[in-house]
Amino acid sequence: MKEHQEGAVDKIWRIFSSMKLGLVLLGVIAFFSGVGTLFPQADVDPDKAQAVGKIWQDLGFTHLYSTYWFRLILGFLCINLIVCSIQRFQGIYNRTFKLQPPKNRTNIPKKIQETWKGDSESLRNSVQKVLRSRGFKVIFEENDKQWSYIAIKRRWGNWGSFITHLSFVVLVVGAFIGSSMGFKGFLMAGVGTTVPIHSIQVSHGTVKENFDVLINSAEDRFLANGQRDNWYTDLSILENGKVMARHTISVNHPFTYQGVTFYQSSFINGVHLTADIKGQKVPVILEDRGGNYFQAPGTDLYLVASAITSDPQKPSMLFEVFKGMSENAVQSGQLDFGQTIDIQGAYKLTLDGNSGFTGLQVKQDPGVMVIWLGCALLLLGLILSFYWRSILVTGIFQAEQGNQGEITMGVSTGKVVGGVKEVFDRLVREIRAK
Amino acid sequence: MNLGLQNLESSAFDVMVMAYILCMILYWVWIGLKKDLIGTLATSVACLGLIANTAAIIIRMVISGHPPLSNGYEFLMTFVWGIMAVYLYIEFRYKLRSLGAFVMPIPVMLLMFIIMSMGPEERVAQAIPPALKSQWLTFHVVTAMLAYGAFAISFGLGVMYLLKLKEEGKGWEAKPQGIIARFPDLETLDELSYKVVGFAFPLLSLCIITGAIWANYAWGTYWSWDPKETWSLITWIIYAAYLHARLMYGWKGKRAAWMAVLGFAAVLFTFFGVNYFLPGLHSYAQ
């Protein structure tokens, strides 16, 4: 007889259908995930990541979670889950929808089993009555001298593990869609600034949209007790100069326009000033701690705000003026609200008030809804698996003399005997009492 | 009013600490002497401790005006509450008082950690940063608290299982008077541990999911491989492996008990190790 040769596809299928492989992959993912927390990651702390030995950098330990090999392991786990799910589908389907009453006593689960004698008709009635009243779906089968049944309660519990495993695949698909089709960026802008969306700093992906973001106001708001309330940014979306939408965002309250979401991320104090350059008034906005500078047109003078008071009632700033590339300030001092000073004889500067600089995370993630779907499936699967376990009761009656005979009843325990035994004992008590 | 409330909170905290230490000792004495009166007293003092714990948390919420989740002190107090609530439920539901002798040292050690390592300035109610002002955070921490509490119970059951197994492995019949004889049989311990993990695992999943939803609202990223996130995922994987190994390969008994112990070690590292050794987005939890 010719021996069946296992083909390459069969071999791959067999490997990926192994639950052991899944467990090994989970262990490997856990191990490398843990290792990744010990190495500084380039996207969080680029300076420290640079200081790590080159070999570790080359192996990807400083950007571990985005390395091709880490993603490959995740991919293998995904394939493993898909293959295992496909293999188990038919069995779960049969256990839920194609239930077959037992043909003989050997098919009755033995771990928790009960046998007693009685009259066929009355036993059948009481089995049916009790099981149905307890929420079981009962299927009977009758032969010459015997009848048998199978009864299931919470049958959707059978699908728990299938849905849970499938949810992981959905999560990975969602993450893939997000990383391959979306973008992530950041913008820091002062009040009154209009920022074209495609000009923001992008750390990942490409911005395809073409609208502008106008920062109407930015505020660091405090409560009456002195505690910070939140950072608020009132922004408008402009298309060809026309306001298409306007919204105030704060931390935990983002705003989405055309799939692009704006998240309040940070806030820096700033001041707005007026520079009077030979009669021409130029508005200037400076960021605290030298975050930006103002170069008066036609000069090589650079003005920075080295410190700004955050008290909106008494706006005040410490400033420094640098000439050319010199590191030493040619002028420095304090400028209070409404005060005007002369800057190197080139222009006059007046402090008009405080002005916030708002830091916004800008993100487009078309995969995020898929992620939430995956999360919902994961929860549904786990609830079905652990809080909605199905209970499968089977029984068979075999006649001995006339209508008299013996019934054997058993319950499938799954992995937990205790709780199931209590339910089974109660059922048997009720059936016998009727 | 605030000063009065602070004093009340401080008193509730002291009562809680004393009650938990006393009930731990009482559980130990009970397991040795088997005097029912001492056992009843141990349970009563544990209940008193939980009441004081609940009071301390509620007063803290009144003082700060937000859920007690803004610093390490508040997190630990709620973690202890989670352990005690789940423990007392298990004790009443399964008549398993001997478990107290193995579980109680965990909340006591957590409280000792607060007393010995946290000064008054670290315990005071603080203003929370804007990112923490989210209802999702409340769900996130409440689910974590219950899940971690239940995992502490499965750890206690795992230790009991291993001790009992060791005694039985010596080939003796467990002496009727021996401490180990007060433990339920091995199968009950094993099954109960599985049930507790089965209860906690969906909660841990919910904790991770609510954390992801919150992070997405706050930072625009549902998963950023922050050390705390990563270690909670590792903990999740350990318990997922526990459940799979049990369901598919019948890993019961000794191996399952060791996995319950390992899983709780991961819980503790996620809770403490990450906060103190691997700061990231969750660094406010220190």
Side-chain angles (χ1 to χ4, degrees):
Chain A
M1 205 172 93
K2 199 178 170 186
E3 228 175 75
H4 172 68
Q5 289 284 314
E6 192 182 42
V9 176
D10 293 335
K11 213 174 221 174
I12 293 169
W13 184 267
R14 185 171 51 78
I15 291 168
F16 278 105
S17 65
S18 155
M19 182 66 82
K20 260 185 196 155
L21 175 72
L23 283 172
V24 169
L25 288 172
L26 272 178
V28 172
I29 289 167
F31 175 76
F32 283 113
S33 299
V35 169
T37 62
L38 303 175
F39 282 85
Q41 296 297 298
D43 56 341
V44 179
D45 198 341
D47 294 337
K48 278 190 183 168
Q50 276 290 322
V52 173
K54 194 166 180 319
I55 186 162
W56 299 110
Q57 288 189 47
D58 291 344
L59 286 169
F61 280 77
T62 51
H63 55 279
L64 197 146
Y65 309 109
S66 56
T67 53
Y68 72 90
W69 54 266
F70 189 75
R71 289 182 174 187
L72 195 66
I73 299 169
L74 285 175
F76 282 151
L77 183 64
C78 246
I79 296 170
N80 175 254
L81 291 171
I82 293 169
V83 173
C84 285
S85 298
I86 292 171
Q87 277 210 323
R88 296 180 59 206
F89 180 84
Q90 191 64 47
I92 299 170
Y93 183 85
N94 290 346
R95 279 206 308 279
T96 313
F97 303 112
K98 289 192 168 177
L99 293 168
Q100 292 290 325
K103 301 284 178 210
N104 51 55
R105 266 188 204 168
T106 52
N107 297 138
I108 308 284
K110 288 173 189 63
K111 204 163 187 177
I112 302 177
Q113 197 184 78
E114 194 91 15
T115 303
W116 71 97
K117 290 187 188 297
D119 170 69
S120 171
E121 206 53 39
S122 63
L123 272 174
R124 189 182 164 135
N125 283 341
S126 49
V127 162
Q128 198 155 320
K129 215 169 191 178
V130 169
L131 288 173
R132 290 210 169 126
S133 72
R134 290 286 170 191
F136 282 82
K137 181 184 166 62
V138 192
I139 299 161
F140 272 95
E141 194 176 83
E142 194 156 4
N143 291 326
D144 284 349
K145 283 191 158 187
Q146 71 172 44
W147 52 262
S148 60
Y149 69 90
I150 187 162
I152 191 167
K153 187 177 179 177
R154 300 192 208 122
R155 59 181 171 163
W156 290 102
N158 283 334
W159 292 91
S161 107
F162 183 84
I163 294 170
T164 303
H165 288 94
L166 202 68
S167 73
F168 186 83
V169 179
V170 175
L171 287 170
V172 172
V173 169
F176 178 75
I177 292 171
S179 64
S180 58
M181 292 166 73
F183 74 83
K184 190 177 179 183
F186 181 77
L187 72 87
M188 172 65 81
V191 174
T193 316
T194 300
V195 183
I197 191 71
H198 53 77
S199 71
I200 63 167
Q201 284 175 24
V202 175
S203 58
H204 159 79
T206 321
V207 184
K208 296 187 184 85
E209 281 64 25
N210 191 23
F211 56 78
D212 298 333
V213 182
L214 167 64
I215 308 298
N216 300 307
S217 72
E219 197 186 340
D220 186 5
R221 206 177 288 169
F222 290 84
L223 298 168
N225 61 7
Q227 291 183 0
R228 171 168 285 123
D229 173 16
N230 210 323
W231 298 314
Y232 293 89
T233 301
D234 176 11
L235 57 85
S236 294
I237 305 293
L238 310 178
E239 280 189 43
N240 302 317
K242 194 177 161 200
V243 177
M244 305 305 290
R246 184 170 180 165
H247 199 85
T248 299
I249 64 167
S250 58
V251 179
N252 280 314
H253 299 94
F255 164 62
T256 303
Y257 179 75
Q258 285 186 358
V260 178
T261 307
F262 298 86
Y263 300 88
Q264 182 72 56
S265 167
S266 55
F267 185 91
I268 297 177
N269 275 321
V271 282
H272 61 99
L273 311 111
T274 303
D276 185 345
I277 308 166
K278 294 172 186 161
Q280 189 192 349
K281 299 214 188 285
V282 178
V284 177
I285 294 178
L286 289 182
E287 212 177 298
D288 198 5
R289 281 172 270 170
N292 65 345
Y293 62 83
F294 168 65
Q295 183 188 7
T299 72
D300 60 349
L301 295 169
Y302 297 91
L303 171 75
V304 297
S306 45
I308 294 170
T309 57
S310 57
D311 183 357
Q313 305 301 320
K314 292 179 186 171
S316 177
M317 69 182 268
L318 294 177
F319 69 90
E320 288 178 299
V321 181
F322 298 88
K323 192 171 171 58
M325 300 303 285
S326 170
E327 287 184 2
N328 298 319
V330 293
Q331 186 179 349
S332 61
Q334 181 172 336
L335 184 60
D336 296 326
F337 175 62
Q339 190 185 353
T340 302
I341 53 162
D342 184 82
I343 302 293
Q344 298 293 296
Y347 60 94
K348 295 196 187 311
L349 188 71
T350 306
L351 177 60
D352 298 325
N354 277 27
S355 176
F357 276 81
T358 186
L360 307 180
Q361 288 274 6
V362 186
K363 199 176 173 196
Q364 188 181 50
D365 186 350
V368 78
M369 288 316 289
V370 182
I371 291 290
W372 301 145
L373 173 68
C375 289
L377 286 174
L378 176 64
L379 273 183
L380 175 68
L382 290 172
I383 288 167
L384 288 174
S385 293
F386 294 103
Y387 301 151
W388 199 254
R389 279 178 217 277
S390 61
I391 303 176
L392 193 71
V393 178
T394 47
I396 189 163
F397 175 87
Q398 288 173 326
E400 288 167 352
Q401 284 180 328
N403 274 343
Q404 293 297 308
E406 194 174 63
I407 184 170
T408 303
M409 207 172 133
V411 64
S412 299
T413 55
K415 303 298 162 185
V416 184
V417 177
V420 180
K421 190 169 182 345
E422 283 170 25
V423 174
F424 181 74
D425 289 345
R426 197 168 52 233
L427 287 174
V428 170
R429 259 196 321 273
E430 287 178 19
I431 292 169
R432 295 184 82 160
K434 284 208 183 258
Chain B
M1 183 204 166
N2 237 7
L3 195 65
L5 279 177
Q6 277 171 17
N7 288 335
L8 201 61
E9 186 207 325
S10 178
S11 303
F13 180 82
D14 292 342
V15 171
M16 168 183 75
V17 172
M18 283 188 285
Y20 286 160
I21 292 173
L22 183 63
C23 77
M24 178 181 74
I25 295 166
L26 286 168
Y27 277 117
W28 287 347
V29 173
W30 173 79
I31 209 167
L33 299 180
K34 297 181 198 167
K35 300 272 186 209
D36 280 347
L37 179 68
I38 295 173
T40 311
L41 200 60
T43 306
S44 309
V45 177
C47 291
L48 174 72
L50 184 63
I51 292 167
N53 195 342
T54 311
I57 290 172
I58 291 171
I59 298 166
R60 169 55 64 104
M61 285 168 70
V62 172
I63 294 170
S64 63
H66 55 74
L69 318 164
S70 65
N71 57 28
Y73 167 74
E74 294 175 0
F75 276 109
L76 282 173
M77 213 157 56
T78 42
F79 185 13
V80 167
W81 189 92
I83 295 171
M84 290 307 298
V86 179
Y87 165 69
L88 283 171
Y89 171 76
I90 298 278
E91 186 189 315
F92 285 113
R93 171 77 175 75
Y94 297 99
K95 314 276 178 249
L96 196 59
R97 189 171 278 154
S98 51
L99 179 63
F102 296 90
V103 170
M104 282 315 299
I106 301 167
V108 170
M109 278 193 280
L110 294 173
L111 292 173
M112 286 301 116
F113 179 82
I114 291 178
I115 292 165
M116 295 169 87
S117 73
M118 290 182 180
E121 71 286 349
E122 286 174 87
R123 295 194 217 172
V124 76
Q126 292 157 347
I128 54 170
L132 298 196
K133 292 182 177 177
S134 167
Q135 288 307 316
W136 288 107
L137 171 68
T138 311
F139 291 123
H140 176 58
V141 179
V142 167
T143 48
M145 181 183 76
L146 286 171
Y148 287 2
F151 287 138
I153 306 303
S154 76
F155 164 81
L157 289 163
V159 171
M160 286 171 81
Y161 184 95
L162 292 170
L163 285 174
K164 185 147 183 144
L165 187 73
K166 196 179 166 197
E167 283 302 302
E168 292 191 352
K170 285 178 182 170
W172 312 331
E173 279 295 313
K175 292 177 197 165
Q177 287 84 17
I179 288 171
I180 307 290
R182 308 226 95 190
F183 296 1
D185 61 80
L186 286 174
E187 196 177 357
T188 306
L189 286 171
D190 182 55
E191 250 191 63
L192 193 52
S193 178
Y194 170 71
K195 271 187 183 172
V196 172
V197 172
F199 161 76
F201 188 69
L203 284 174
L204 178 64
S205 310
L206 187 58
C207 164
I208 294 173
I209 290 170
T210 50
I213 296 171
W214 167 42
N216 195 57
Y217 272 108
W219 295 290
T221 315
Y222 51 81
W223 191 263
S224 53
W225 293 104
D226 162 72
K228 192 108 172 169
E229 283 175 351
T230 307
W231 275 95
S232 65
L233 176 69
I234 293 169
T235 305
W236 189 89
I237 288 175
I238 290 172
Y239 283 109
Y242 167 97
L243 295 167
H244 276 92
R246 188 180 179 98
L247 295 173
M248 293 297 153
Y249 300 108
W251 270 36
K252 287 186 173 184
K254 191 177 176 184
R255 284 189 283 197
W258 275 113
M259 282 198 84
V261 172
L262 175 71
F264 190 62
V267 167
L268 287 181
F269 188 78
T270 307
F271 200 85
F272 284 103
V274 174
N275 285 358
Y276 293 94
F277 303 121
L278 305 168
L281 283 175
H282 285 75
S283 53
Y284 49 77
Q286 283 183 24

